[in-house]
Amino acid sequence: MGQSEQYVRLVDHVSLRQLEQPCVYDRRRDELYELNQEGFAALTRCRGHLTLAEVGLEPEFQRVCLEEGLLALSERPWPRPLSLGPAPTPSLRYLELQVTWRCNLACGHCYLGPAQAVDLPLEQIAALVREFEAMGGLRLMLSGGEPLLHPRWSEINAILAALPLRRVLLTNGLLLRGSVLAELHCEEVQISLDGAQAGHDRLRGPGSFAGALAAAQAVRDSGRDLSIATMVHAGNLDQFEELEELVRGLGAIEWGIDAPSLSGRLADHPGLAVSPAQAAQAMAHAFGGAFHGHGGGMACGLHLATVAANGLVAQCGFYLDQPLGRAGEGLWTCWERRRPLALAQLTPCAQCAAVEDCGGGCRFRASDPLGPDLVMCALHGVEPVRIGKEKP
Ligand code: SF4
Ligand code: SF4
């Protein structure tokens, strides 16, 4: 049977999304491809009930889709339903669920402060992920606290199993072993490594580095994507060369390095704070993408929301004191209350030569809500005061 007579459909880990642009999303690779309307319309016909000839894709587009593994062929019909609900504007692409505020560590820099026995109810998690998917969501991040400490973790994991989203677990790694890892329905696990052994254990407690490293190796060996998150602090500034070798050796797809803001438990440990220049020097080692992204002339977090363990919905985990609403009201309702910040509203960012790359940095870390994020200024070699004086 020739190729054109075979039935064609989007493979299971690929979904169509009608966001600001029509898109197709490969959740295994975490790759979002923008399409024109014609290509998008053609892919909506690839549901396994028509042959390649009947679908009538433009030849070059068809070649790319088959080569990229977005489409697959079969000699028999193999129907697949495609859900294509409307998405809000701006689109909500990334959702962090802080499923619990329980934790097995007491890290000196934790933005949540002391651990608490507060859990997002299972039924609410199920409703939130359903709504997120229906809104065109791409990437679901399960965080905490330590998410594996949610008393109903195995049921949460069962909900994840059938979810057509990229599922990412953010963990300290200490509980990620045996059947918990083997049965985990996540494409990616992000583990926190806050330094080489001395720096990590200073922040997270003795023995925690060995546990995190073992978990990172186990994630890699399980075939899931591994990403690493690191917080810059006074006790790890001299360890970034060593850490880079370690992170690259682990085969991580992404290394996110962040500088602390004086919130949560860090307010009690001012000795851990670093200068913007020190933070920027460390952050230059980072690689891979980030989910706090900006775009279209808007500031950070344009497509991100967080739901906290107490049910509050916010634009990100740092804004829980200015919530958009409660999870019970529905994600769409809360998301519509969001007022994204335009870069043109920021000073001196609006006049900054680096604004396209930087996007105004982290709005929470900027000491003035409309002012510059000095860490990002240092990272981009920008002198914010001078730019400010040049303002008309
Ligand atoms: S480098 Fe500084 S001034 Fe420039 S956009 Fe970023 S935060 Fe704003
Ligand atoms: S305020 Fe900071 S943490 Fe929140 S979305 Fe922006 S960059 Fe991310």
Side-chain angles (χ1 to χ4, degrees), residues 365-381:
R365 197 167 47 212
S367 47
D368 168 348
L370 298 180
D373 168 358
L374 296 181
V375 171
M376 293 306 274
C377 295
L379 191 63
H380 287 90

Side-chain angles (χ1 to χ4, degrees), residues 180-214:
V180 177
L181 176 59
E183 292 163 14
L184 182 69
H185 296 298
C186 287
E187 283 83 5
E188 178 181 338
V189 178
Q190 183 189 95
I191 294 192
S192 300
L193 278 182
D194 288 327
Q197 179 163 5
H200 183 96
D201 283 357
R202 174 175 164 192
L203 212 63
R204 293 177 168 262
S208 57
F209 178 80
L213 191 57

Side-chain angles (χ1 to χ4, degrees), residues 49-82:
H49 65 308
L50 297 175
T51 64
L52 207 45
E54 287 167 334
V55 163
L57 298 172
E58 189 273 318
E60 178 58 14
F61 183 58
Q62 173 181 303
R63 185 189 65 73
V64 172
C65 289
L66 287 167
E67 265 179 28
E68 292 287 314
L70 303 175
L71 294 175
L73 301 173
S74 162
E75 294 188 356
R76 281 179 295 282
W78 51 331
R80 172 194 167 176
L82 290 179

Side-chain angles (χ1 to χ4, degrees), residues 274-298:
V274 294
S275 71
Q278 288 171 319
Q281 202 173 4
M283 286 164 73
H285 291 266
F287 58 81
F291 61 80
H292 301 246
H294 57 96
M298 308 304 282

Side-chain angles (χ1 to χ4, degrees), residues 348-349 352 355 358 360 372-373 376-377 380 382:
C349 304
C352 174
V355 71
C358 170
D373 168 358
M376 293 306 274
C377 295
H380 287 90
V382 163

Side-chain angles (χ1 to χ4, degrees), residues 22-53:
C23 296
V24 60
Y25 179 58
D26 181 337
R27 67 174 181 273
R28 274 202 198 148
R29 291 193 209 152
D30 198 14
E31 197 79 59
L32 187 67
Y33 304 82
E34 287 191 357
L35 301 171
N36 58 29
Q37 287 293 354
E38 194 188 357
F40 185 80
L43 289 185
T44 61
R45 296 194 292 275
C46 296
R47 284 180 275 137
H49 65 308
L50 297 175
T51 64
L52 207 45

